[in-house]
Amino acid sequence: MKPAKLFIALSIAASLAAGVHAQTSTNAAATISKDDAARLVGIAQANIAEIEAGKMALQKSSNPDVKAFAKMMIDDHTKGLEETKKVAAAKKVTLPSEPDMAHQKLAAELKAVPADKFDLAYAKRAGVADHLNVHASLKKDISMLKDADVKALATKLEPTVAHHVEMAKKLATAVK
């Protein structure tokens, strides 16, 4: 009789422990600070903006170097956005589907630039300036983020953005 009671007690304890573990895991996945969630949204915004600017450059530019850079921006930032979406889904963070107001303004300004001045404007503004800002933000994020998954994402994306800065600087010099 004692072994049966022991077995029942152990079974109940195991079930409770599994339930507590499952609840803890679910809460851990859903728990993210507002600052970390905001940075995750910021990472998504940067990727969305670069994809949109790259698409615009493919349409407006006739320069093969600008088009190649724009294609690289679309490809790299699409990959970055997909990785960001995976982390956001795990953390239950809703991401935007379109650029923020600042990037919408930049897009409108780039659309208004005459075709003969577009390449340089795109290289300097969407290329160099925007990537410098994003790179600085990622470096700051890496040192300040609390969530390990969001921090790992920022750490993974940082070298790509650093490479984009260098490529954009070369492009801006070449299209002058």
Side-chain angles (χ1 to χ4, degrees):
M1 188 114 163
K2 256 188 172 179
K5 285 183 180 178
L6 180 61
F7 177 75
I8 292 170
L10 287 175
S11 295
I12 292 170
S15 294
L16 290 173
V20 168
H21 176 70
Q23 184 178 8
T24 303
S25 297
T26 302
N27 288 343
T31 303
I32 182 172
S33 74
K34 286 183 181 181
D35 288 343
D36 285 3
R39 285 312 314 138
L40 193 55
V41 168
I43 291 169
Q45 285 288 357
N47 282 303
I48 291 167
E50 288 303 329
I51 293 165
E52 293 303 314
K55 288 176 181 177
M56 183 188 311
L58 287 179
Q59 291 175 351
K60 284 193 78 165
S61 181
S62 58
N63 182 315
D65 292 335
V66 172
K67 286 184 174 274
F69 179 80
K71 177 84 170 91
M72 181 176 64
M73 293 303 99
I74 293 167
D75 293 346
D76 289 355
H77 287 286
T78 297
K79 288 176 190 170
L81 183 58
E82 290 306 314
E83 292 176 27
T84 305
K85 286 178 178 179
K86 287 177 187 172
V87 174
K91 303 299 176 182
K92 298 184 181 355
V93 174
T94 302
L95 296 178
S97 58
E98 60 184 32
D100 60 11
M101 292 304 292
H103 286 104
Q104 288 178 22
K105 181 180 176 192
L106 173 61
E109 290 169 0
L110 286 174
K111 280 180 187 173
V113 172
D116 64 327
K117 297 186 187 318
F118 176 81
D119 293 344
L120 184 59
Y122 170 71
K124 283 187 170 184
R125 303 212 34 225
V128 178
D130 210 32
H131 279 93
L132 282 171
N133 288 336
V134 171
H135 189 247
S137 291
L138 283 173
K139 288 175 77 172
K140 182 180 175 187
D141 291 347
I142 291 167
S143 68
M144 298 182 74
L145 284 164
K146 305 274 188 276
D147 185 272
D149 296 328
V150 181
K151 187 173 197 160
L153 174 67
T155 301
K156 183 177 183 179
L157 296 176
E158 185 273 330
T160 301
V161 175
H163 175 70
H164 290 172
V165 169
E166 294 310 311
M167 297 300 294
K169 286 178 180 180
K170 288 179 185 174
L171 182 64
T173 300
V175 296
K176 281 188 175 179

